[in-house]
Amino acid sequence: SPGVHYSHVAFEGMSLAPALGANGEMLGANIVLFEERMQRMRNSIRSLRAGIPDETLMQQFQQGTLDLSAVQADRVLRDRDGNATRAYIRPSYVRLGTYGVGPKDEAPFHLSVIEWNWPLYISEEVYKNGAVAVCFLDAQRLEKIRGKLGGNYKDAGVHAKVARALNGNEALYFGPYIINQFGQSEYINSQENEKARLRLQKYGILVDGSGEDVIFEGRNGTIYYQPKDTNILGGTTREYIITHLAKRLGIKTEERPIGLPDIARRDVVGMAYVGNAVKVLPAREIRIYDSWQDEGKIKDFVELKISDNLQRIASEFEKEMFGLIPPSHPSLLTPVSLEEGRTARKVLDKVYSAWF
């Protein structure tokens, strides 16, 4: 497909979460932040300026995603041991048609959605003890992110793999500017020279992971989140936490660029990855990695605290997501009918029995 070759690909990440009873039994199912993520997918597709599905088709695709989740729920919401656990939903758009870098307005396209059981993005032990983030001195968010697009992730897989090879758990990116010793923002490109990398190491701001946002906790308990001028996507989980969950918990939030000097001064004591796949994952350490060295080298370590308010947010978000407590806002959970899905599953199994 030319869309794959030229990165004319948009997609979403969603969760199908079982609604759990007190003993872990599955009472129902919900798609998490469904409307918000489908709207973001629309925006992402438009940003490609290729063939754009009309709203009627997108509404049908949205309903089809709900219907597929209902039909598949009993299969994808069970792990290998039969426990009710989270499933992942991946809707995607790929441009088809003739080859060429510049897509035509009327270019055909392919919409699809797949689902599978995926309880945890990272091991349970890491959620318990805190993640180790690896920050790359040659990796900055230098370009504006216009949508959740395949091209955004061209280096993310490499950085995530290197992070794990260095006994870390996830990559962490610097923003396009530093906050210098005078408290002023200064745009910098670490790939220019050694001096730029040294300044980034000393004054760089930390903006997101390879597939997640990050939020921070100040020593006064305030939750800080990065402004959009740091070239982040700005995810739906982050927005829900800032707008609804933190407010319900009485936690103050503030938009502010956070960098390594804030952590060094202990003005900031905690950091957490937040996103659909990772949910809320506090970090315990940041490692600064310089891959410009011949063999690569860890240049510095920054310790973090598994801070109180980030722990509260992680715990409460988990409870809300799995229906153990009411959500801070109704937008969090879109119900999926297990009963209708089971009825449809019986019909489909009968109609397509010769195929399997």
Side-chain angles (χ1 to χ4, degrees), residues 39-58:
Q39 184 56 51
R40 183 171 64 182
M41 186 170 181
R42 288 175 172 86
N43 297 339
S44 298
I45 292 171
R46 291 190 194 104
S47 75
L48 290 170
R49 301 192 178 189
I52 299 176
D54 62 32
E55 184 54 27
T56 300
L57 180 55
M58 285 305 297

Side-chain angles (χ1 to χ4, degrees), residues 17-254:
L20 300 176
N23 298 315
E25 69 275 21
M26 186 164 69
L27 305 178
N30 298 282
I31 300 181
V32 179
L33 294 169
F34 183 54
E35 294 287 344
E36 288 75 5
R37 287 168 178 154
M38 287 303 302
Q39 184 56 51
R40 183 171 64 182
M41 186 170 181
R42 288 175 172 86
N43 297 339
S44 298
I45 292 171
R46 291 190 194 104
S47 75
L48 290 170
R49 301 192 178 189
I52 299 176
D54 62 32
E55 184 54 27
T56 300
L57 180 55
M58 285 305 297
Q59 287 287 347
Q60 292 170 345
F61 183 61
Q62 186 163 328
Q63 184 60 51
T65 302
L66 273 171
D67 293 344
L68 179 66
S69 298
V71 170
Q72 291 284 75
D74 280 330
R75 299 185 180 193
V76 298
L77 289 175
R78 299 283 181 185
D79 64 16
R80 293 178 179 179
D81 298 321
N83 301 311
T85 55
R86 188 264 303 266
Y88 194 86
I89 306 173
R90 171 51 56 80
S92 63
Y93 162 101
V94 180
R95 192 262 290 188
L96 304 176
T98 57
Y99 278 83
V101 175
K104 296 180 180 179
D105 290 342
E106 66 276 12
F109 52 83
H110 178 71
L111 291 169
S112 64
V113 59
I114 57 174
E115 301 182 355
W116 68 95
N117 183 259
W118 194 12
L120 293 172
Y121 179 72
I122 291 176
S123 73
E124 196 168 348
E125 181 182 358
V126 176
Y127 279 90
K128 180 180 178 181
N129 298 325
V132 174
V134 178
C135 202
F136 294 79
L137 285 176
D138 64 335
Q140 289 177 263
R141 294 299 192 194
L142 294 174
E143 298 179 7
K144 184 176 181 179
I145 295 179
R146 301 184 183 277
K148 197 170 178 70
L149 309 174
N152 299 344
Y153 296 83
K154 59 185 184 297
D155 296 323
V158 174
H159 290 138
K161 186 172 182 179
V162 172
R164 285 158 194 166
L166 295 167
N167 296 316
N169 304 114
E170 188 59 294
L172 181 62
Y173 290 97
F174 285 107
Y177 57 83
I178 64 173
I179 303 297
N180 64 26
Q181 63 268 42
F182 307 109
Q184 301 166 330
S185 59
E186 176 187 334
Y187 284 85
I188 195 167
N189 185 342
S190 67
Q191 298 190 36
E192 290 180 349
N193 51 50
E194 179 70 16
K195 181 180 177 181
R197 289 191 290 282
L198 288 173
R199 288 180 65 73
L200 190 68
Q201 182 182 342
K202 189 171 184 179
Y203 300 114
I205 60 170
L206 308 170
V207 295
D208 62 3
S210 53
E212 317 87 358
D213 287 301
V214 289
I215 58 175
F216 302 86
E217 182 173 343
R219 62 183 172 187
N220 62 354
T222 298
I223 297 299
Y224 297 110
Y225 57 98
Q226 301 288 18
K228 289 289 186 72
D229 69 358
T230 57
N231 294 337
I232 58 172
L233 176 62
T236 52
T237 304
R238 184 187 92 141
E239 187 64 25
Y240 180 82
I241 289 169
I242 293 164
T243 307
H244 303 300
L245 180 55
K247 185 179 292 185
R248 177 176 72 79
L249 296 176
I251 298 172
K252 182 182 176 182
T253 62
E254 182 182 332

Side-chain angles (χ1 to χ4, degrees), residues 1-9 94-103 107-108:
S1 162
V4 173
H5 296 174
Y6 302 123
S7 292
H8 297 150
V9 177
V94 180
R95 192 262 290 188
L96 304 176
T98 57
Y99 278 83
V101 175

